[in-house]
Amino acid sequence: MISSLMSMLPDEDELSGDDFQTYFSEKKPTILNHKSKLQPGASFVKKDGSAWTTLDGTTFVVRSGPDYARNKLKKESKPSFYECVGVDCFASKHKIPNIGRFFYSKDSSDKKQRKKVDGKEVAGTVPERFVFQMQLPDYPPSMIKSQSDGEGYSLVFHFKLTKEGRKKIGEAKEPAATLLTRFLDAVREGGGPQSSEHPLYLRPKVIMRLMNHEKLGLGFVHRKICENFNAKPFLSRPEHTFHVAPDNSYLEIDVDVHRFKYFQKRCAHSFRDNFRKAKIDIGIVIEGQGDEEMPEQMLAACTIERAHHENFLLVVDEEAEKRRVAEAKKKEKERKEREARENAPAAPTGAPPPPPGASGADRNEERADDPEGATSLSGRLGHKLGLW
């Protein structure tokens, strides 16, 4: 079925859309560095119907058990642990991982994290803030050359721990609450999926619901995709990364669509212009496995609609850009040195060159003073070989 759908998608040269370089060349980028302190949601332009709203987790159905592997029973989720407090939309020439560091200070101390529930302190267990970033490419994918970075957009969702969510986590009685705590402990101890393969890293799931696909006038392929995959959870592994602030002020999950398979990237890119008309629900949940981890409970959810990429804020990660420039200069220097070695004239053939600091006259004087060659190393070796 996938191959038949691929044949009906537009050709790669028809997927370019608006030229990223041309459109943003007239915009002055916002520089992001260690001094930046952005306000969550400040970049979202509510224009031409663009809007976002927090979404009740009870609108999603999740695994409930018992014996889910056999019964496949699902039911409505309990309210989400986090509620949405802002959405940011950025455009950039390169991906920006761990974008939460530009919003939440690393040395801040949120008093609410130290709040006690029934006399028990719940500080440090779950961050007060949760950042979810979707990194979307703005270049047509290629089957020949795989590309994992380049021009694109970032949808950044900011969530805040609810009062009820904080209480549930502090009580540690419900399976979803203890699972979330275990997941965060694994991320903090292992340092993320790049440095460890902890099985809990494979658990985050994303649920995307296109709520108005009937009104978008979609083509045959996109209609088929909606029929088969709309509102169907998918594991974000392995194209995700996790970040927990040193002060535990926020957790971030980045889902990198740049690293998706070719067909997925092609579908996402060809759908890009529909985002300005679409209404999409996005939910995140940690997958439960086994009765002791069920029922699942939504981590966070949000609705975003009519997101016009022309209104996205152009940003540049200053420190990452400096590293890229330095790396480019290093590679260029190595290239020039390699070419110089390859183009250097070949050494003349014949007698081996004399040792440094020794001329022919010196060696003749040495031979005259010591005809048997008894004192020098070369002389002793020549004497043994019967050369003199």
Side-chain angles (χ1 to χ4, degrees), residues 68-85:
Y68 177 80
R70 183 171 62 88
N71 297 327
K72 304 296 181 183
L73 182 63
K74 292 187 176 184
K75 66 178 183 180
E76 290 183 358
S77 170
K78 294 181 180 179
S80 303
F81 289 107
Y82 289 82
E83 62 181 350
C84 189
V85 294

Side-chain angles (χ1 to χ4, degrees), residues 183-341:
F183 168 76
L184 282 161
D185 289 342
V187 172
R188 277 190 288 259
E189 293 171 6
Q194 285 84 5
S195 56
S196 176
E197 294 298 331
H198 197 290
L200 282 173
Y201 292 160
L202 309 178
R203 302 290 193 90
K205 295 190 297 187
V206 181
I207 305 174
M208 300 186 70
R209 300 187 304 208
L210 183 57
M211 303 301 292
N212 61 342
H213 56 89
E214 302 91 349
K215 301 178 181 179
L216 296 181
L218 301 177
F220 176 79
V221 175
H222 287 125
R223 288 202 309 271
K224 280 295 181 183
I225 292 173
C226 286
E227 291 174 8
N228 289 280
F229 302 108
N230 197 26
K232 185 175 182 179
F234 67 91
L235 292 164
S236 57
R237 66 180 187 189
E239 296 86 8
H240 60 201
T241 51
F242 312 126
H243 309 275
V244 178
D247 64 348
N248 202 45
S249 58
Y250 70 90
L251 159 71
E252 179 171 339
I253 298 179
D254 295 342
V255 177
D256 186 359
V257 181
H258 293 256
R259 294 165 52 201
F260 276 23
K261 292 181 174 60
Y262 171 76
F263 176 71
Q264 297 167 322
K265 290 170 66 174
R266 190 171 172 185
C267 289
H269 190 272
S270 62
F271 187 79
R272 186 198 66 170
D273 288 337
N274 287 303
F275 277 114
R276 70 184 69 195
K277 300 178 290 183
K279 180 179 181 180
I280 303 173
D281 292 345
I282 298 178
I284 306 96
V285 62
I286 306 299
E287 182 181 70
Q289 298 178 356
D291 292 344
E292 68 279 3
E293 296 179 349
M294 295 188 194
E296 294 176 339
Q297 184 171 339
M298 295 301 296
L299 181 62
C302 177
T303 297
I304 185 171
E305 55 184 313
R306 297 182 179 276
H308 295 249
H309 60 269
E310 298 93 340
N311 297 328
F312 290 4
L313 179 67
L314 182 62
V315 294
V316 173
D317 184 346
E318 183 180 50
E319 296 170 3
E321 197 63 30
K322 288 180 179 179
R323 289 194 298 269
R324 274 189 287 269
V325 170
E327 184 65 23
K329 289 182 178 179
K330 180 181 177 181
K331 289 183 178 179
E332 179 65 16
K333 181 180 178 181
E334 292 174 350
R335 184 188 66 80
K336 290 181 177 179
E337 291 175 349
R338 185 170 59 252
E339 289 181 352
R341 289 194 301 269

